[in-house]
Amino acid sequence: MTAPRTPTISRPLPPELLERDLRCPFDPPAELRRLHAEAPVARTRLANGNEVWVVTGYDEARAVLADTRFSSDSFRRADATRPEPPLGPDEPRGDGMFIFMDPPEHTRLRRLLIGQFTVRRMRALEERVREIATDLITAMRDGGDRADLVPSFSLPLPSLVICELLGVDYADRAEFQDRTAVALNLNASDTERAEASAAIYRFMQGLVAQKREHPADDLLSGLVHDTEAALTDRELVDIAVTLLGAGHETTANMLALGTYALLEHPDQLAALRDDPELGDSAVEELLRYLSIIHTGPKRVATEDVELGGVTVAAGDTVLVSVPETNRDAGHWPEPERLDLSRGRTPHLAFGHGVHQCLGQQLARVELKIGLTELLARLPGLRLDVPAAEVPLRTDMIVFGVHALPVAWD
């Protein structure tokens, strides 16, 4: 089985939709603020010359993500970012890339996955998250009083957790992280991304074959040996690739960027350090404030739809700007301010509708434990370089930092 044709992840966005102000890198790009001031649904031109609708209003974004007239099927529908889909409009799908599916295909696979995210499994992982976090912090302290938080903590923590969930050996995580970094790099060539994606796919083929022969108590084994579902190897590999990527890349960057944000807001850092019970609301506020998926999600209208005072025509591409929708002043007082005491708010960091993130509760656990353990076990945690020298991931689909040098007492 060879790696299938898949939609490119590249977004030919103009630079002004990605560039952040280094004086406050946590804020959305200024061009998104301008578009939001113009209208909650506005047209903009991509670098390839095509036009898309950019949704920056919170209500309008929820409407798009919940409306079945906006399709996620990037295999069958052409869009402004990638005019040629891999499949014809009536060609059957045999893949497992459920994030690029519409119901009922999406419904079938998502239902199977929900059945694997059991309460027992999530509780067991919560215990392991704390063990992994404390082990990583101990290793950092043993190495001295400074480290780069990205390779030392924010990358390995969710990577190890998702590897345990799927049954991936710890020794294989480094190769996976390297390949994923290339696959998600907006500046990498199409060839480089294709090669990285193919390597990840081959790795997951081997893992699925291993689970068929030697099942264990992990999510992937459960899917492989679900006789009612009878998933094909192609479906299993696609599902595993999707979960492995989504389960570590986003949380890893939220951990690093969230720590950076707290270090740049010492009053909020002190509040969380003094009261760890603030952890749940702190996580929700950081998710809203940072909103790291800064290039999508993307949908294609299947018919004419009235949205935010405009008509989105059938076939038009819509990009939902989560960073800007989560700063909508109509839903949050002073949305540009980081306030860990806001409590749980209905943000869109995990999406909305049928494609809402499957692993959101696990991500919340990882963020809460990771941040509170860092602050409790690394007294005096601070940046080890000027803030302007922290390298930002504006060249990646998932926003964050490439490195975060820190020191502690």
Side-chain angles (χ1 to χ4, degrees):
M1 179 173 59
T2 58
R5 294 173 293 168
T6 57
T8 177
I9 62 166
S10 178
R11 300 280 202 273
L13 297 179
E16 58 268 22
L17 289 185
L18 296 173
E19 292 173 348
R20 307 258 178 158
D21 187 340
L22 293 180
R23 293 169 298 181
C24 191
F26 316 113
D27 288 345
E31 177 64 9
L32 289 174
R33 310 311 300 268
R34 187 195 69 77
L35 287 174
H36 183 70
E38 176 184 315
V41 183
R43 293 283 272 183
T44 194
R45 189 176 298 276
L46 298 176
N48 62 12
N50 295 328
E51 290 191 338
V52 297
W53 294 100
V54 178
V55 180
T56 57
Y58 177 84
D59 290 335
E60 292 76 13
R62 279 177 61 94
V64 169
L65 297 175
D67 194 329
T68 56
R69 294 174 295 175
F70 290 100
S71 173
S72 298
D73 193 341
S74 295
F75 281 67
R76 296 194 183 107
R77 298 188 184 279
D79 65 66
T81 70
R82 178 203 37 79
E84 296 298 327
L87 300 177
D90 300 317
E91 207 171 335
R93 291 185 60 166
D95 62 279
M97 301 293 288
F98 61 94
I99 61 173
F100 298 124
M101 289 180 176
D102 297 328
E105 293 164 318
H106 170 267
T107 307
R108 177 179 70 92
L109 295 181
R110 185 179 175 94
R111 186 178 295 122
L112 293 173
L113 288 165
I114 289 174
Q116 292 296 325
F117 279 81
T118 62
V119 172
R120 178 186 65 82
R121 182 169 282 149
M122 292 304 105
R123 284 178 177 169
L125 279 175
E126 183 170 346
E127 296 174 5
R128 282 293 292 139
V129 170
R130 194 173 303 280
E131 292 175 3
I132 292 169
T134 55
D135 288 346
L136 291 170
I137 295 171
T138 298
M140 290 168 61
R141 290 182 63 89
D142 289 345
D145 60 0
R146 50 189 22 86
D148 180 351
L149 199 71
V150 172
S152 299
F153 187 78
S154 68
L155 266 178
L157 174 59
S159 180
L160 289 172
V161 173
I162 197 65
C163 284
E164 292 203 13
L165 180 65
L166 290 176
V168 178
D169 289 340
Y170 172 80
D172 293 325
R173 69 172 177 84
E175 176 188 353
F176 170 76
Q177 289 172 352
D178 292 342
R179 299 293 187 183
T180 302
V182 176
L184 295 176
N185 190 335
L186 293 170
N187 287 330
S189 69
D190 289 344
T191 299
E192 289 171 329
R193 287 199 304 272
E195 290 175 351
S197 296
I200 294 171
Y201 200 85
R202 288 192 299 271
F203 172 80
M204 296 311 305
Q205 285 177 321
L207 187 61
V208 167
Q210 175 188 330
K211 298 303 178 185
R212 285 204 184 278
E213 293 296 322
H214 306 287
D217 185 20
D218 56 63
L219 185 150
L220 187 54
S221 292
L223 290 173
V224 167
H225 293 277
D226 187 329
T227 55
E228 290 188 18
L231 295 171
T232 66
D233 280 3
R234 167 77 183 278
E235 289 174 323
L236 288 163
V237 170
D238 286 344
I239 290 170
V241 167
T242 302
L243 292 178
L244 198 54
H248 102 276
E249 185 74 12
T250 50
T251 307
N253 283 285
M254 267 301 302
L255 277 170
L257 193 64
T259 303
Y260 182 23
L262 290 173
L263 293 174
E264 288 296 282
H265 295 80
D267 59 327
Q268 299 300 301
L269 184 149
L272 180 56
R273 173 179 279 147
D274 294 344
D275 181 13
E277 294 300 316
L278 196 60
D280 289 326
S281 61
V283 166
E284 299 307 314
E285 174 68 350
L286 286 167
L287 286 165
R288 179 202 70 83
Y289 181 71
L290 298 174
S291 302
I292 59 174
I293 306 297
H294 65 159
T295 63
K298 175 182 65 175
R299 299 288 187 268
V300 176
T302 60
E303 60 182 85
D304 292 356
V305 181
E306 296 298 316
L307 181 70
V310 302
T311 299
V312 178
D316 282 358
T317 302
V318 174
L319 293 178
V320 176
S321 173
V322 175
E324 188 60 30
T325 61
N326 279 344
R327 297 287 188 96
D328 192 329
H331 286 266
W332 293 277
E334 298 182 274
E336 73 287 348
R337 184 168 62 90
L338 179 64
D339 180 5
L340 303 189
S341 66
R342 284 186 201 267
R344 191 160 184 162
T345 57
H347 56 72
L348 298 179
F350 289 119
H352 180 64
V354 297
H355 283 281
Q356 193 171 40
C357 177
L358 268 171
Q360 60 182 285
Q361 296 309 324
L362 179 58
R364 286 184 167 104
V365 167
E366 291 174 314
L367 292 171
K368 178 183 176 181
I369 291 176
L371 292 171
T372 54
E373 291 294 333
L374 276 176
L375 297 185
R377 296 175 183 275
L378 297 178
L381 185 66
R382 58 193 179 275
L383 284 178
D384 201 28
V385 296
E389 294 181 13
V390 174
L392 303 177
R393 288 170 48 105
T394 53
D395 57 339
M396 311 292 281
I397 284 182
V398 180
F399 182 60
V401 295
H402 286 293
L404 190 67
V406 295
W408 54 87
D409 296 336

